[in-house]
Amino acid sequence: MPYVRHWLRNSLLLFVLAITLGLVAAHTHLIQPHDLQLDRTIQTNTRTGWLNDVMEGVSALASPVAGLVILVIWSGWLLFVRRRPTRAVATFLVVAIGWNSTQIAKAIVARPRPPRQFMLDPEIGSNSFPSGHTAFTVSAVVAAYFLLRETRHRRTVLVLGPLAVLLVAFSRMYVGAHYPTDTFGSVLIAGSAITFVTGIWHVWIEPQLHRLPLMERFGLERERAEQDAAALPGGRRRAAGAPQAAPAAGRHRKHAGR
């Protein structure tokens, strides 16, 4: 997981910006009429039988149930199959915290859903701002980028990831479940939570992974040795008997909270 400088300040700024946007959208007339008009334009000009099914399917792929299944399978594959406990825990935290941070914003902003008569499949339960489906997609894309940023698949994630976020965001407006600012706000909220996670990961979580039960059995030491070897200049592996490099977290601890 990369280290983000000034992670605490930046995460708080993003959070405040997102909440401010949500409160203005929900409780003033500065944004609400334009939000509703854009929603109705999308629904009036683009809805058709086959596309209804496609957009409902896209929304279903990022639903709470589907998201939980994807997260469990993904993290489990990294842990049990690939034997990469550090990556498994990091991926789980990025997706889970980035995704579920929306619940805090929903409770604070308390924005009602768009009018039910415009919905293809009426939503019940949680408030409208921000979109949990979009936040899940953002978090999954960021987690994938963190995993693949040093591989040849990096550019693929950078191209397809934003397209996936836009597709899910559009589907939520198309089916009538969210306003445009809900989907944009979810990007800010998820970004805020993920920035926070990167900070506490290096400061506290990663150095303590060895304390978790079974981490050593799943190859924690081997994974760390490979990371240390890859970090050496020119990609040279550490010679046998040479002192092991200090964990990356130690280099950043003095920056904690900045």
Side-chain angles (χ1 to χ4, degrees):
M1 189 182 298
Y3 179 78
V4 179
R5 293 189 62 191
H6 310 299
W7 57 271
L8 182 57
R9 182 191 66 187
N10 292 338
S11 65
L12 288 174
L13 286 175
L14 283 173
F15 183 79
V16 170
L17 179 61
I19 294 301
T20 301
L21 174 65
L23 291 173
V24 171
H27 303 293
T28 74
H29 293 288
L30 295 176
I31 297 176
Q32 177 74 8
H34 307 289
D35 257 358
L36 185 57
Q37 182 180 2
L38 183 54
D39 259 4
R40 292 299 296 133
T41 299
I42 292 172
Q43 295 151 11
T44 301
N45 296 338
T46 62
R47 276 184 181 173
T48 187
W50 68 270
L51 193 55
N52 291 352
D53 295 334
V54 171
M55 289 297 104
E56 287 183 310
V58 170
S59 284
L61 287 174
S63 68
V65 173
L68 181 59
V69 171
I70 292 171
L71 180 56
V72 169
I73 292 176
W74 191 4
S75 301
W77 177 76
L78 288 169
L79 181 62
F80 296 106
V81 179
R82 296 290 297 165
R83 297 283 174 164
R84 295 292 187 269
T86 301
R87 296 181 183 183
V89 174
T91 298
F92 181 86
L93 290 176
V94 167
V95 177
I97 295 178
W99 179 20
N100 288 284
S101 61
T102 58
Q103 298 304 315
I104 299 174
K106 284 178 182 289
I108 295 173
V109 174
R111 186 184 198 184
R113 295 275 184 181
R116 292 175 64 89
Q117 64 265 31
F118 302 141
M119 294 184 181
L120 286 179
D121 186 15
E123 295 275 343
I124 58 176
S126 62
N127 295 320
S128 186
F129 183 95
S131 164
H133 290 63
T134 308
F136 168 77
T137 310
V138 170
S139 303
V141 168
V142 172
Y145 176 76
F146 286 172
L147 286 174
L148 302 173
R149 72 186 189 280
E150 295 178 356
T151 73
R152 60 188 177 88
H153 301 295
R154 173 177 175 271
R155 291 184 179 179
T156 302
V157 177
L158 288 175
V159 173
L160 296 184
L163 292 178
V165 172
L166 290 173
L167 179 61
V168 171
F170 178 79
S171 75
R172 300 306 289 158
M173 293 182 284
Y174 182 97
V175 302
H178 284 287
Y179 296 103
T181 48
D182 298 340
T183 60
F184 179 67
S186 65
V187 176
L188 298 177
I189 286 292
S192 168
I194 293 169
T195 301
F196 183 79
V197 168
T198 64
I200 62 172
W201 172 264
H202 288 284
V203 171
W204 181 69
I205 298 176
E206 196 276 339
Q208 303 299 322
L209 280 182
H210 65 279
R211 298 179 182 274
L212 293 178
L214 302 180
M215 285 293 102
E216 299 297 342
R217 180 175 298 181
F218 286 114
L220 179 62
E221 285 302 320
R222 177 174 58 83
E223 184 183 22
R224 284 181 169 174
E226 291 176 355
Q227 292 172 347
D228 291 339
L232 290 175
R236 293 180 293 104
R237 292 186 175 275
R238 181 171 55 92
Q244 185 173 351
R251 296 195 300 270
H252 304 304
R253 190 167 300 175
K254 64 181 180 180
H255 298 296
R258 288 175 59 183

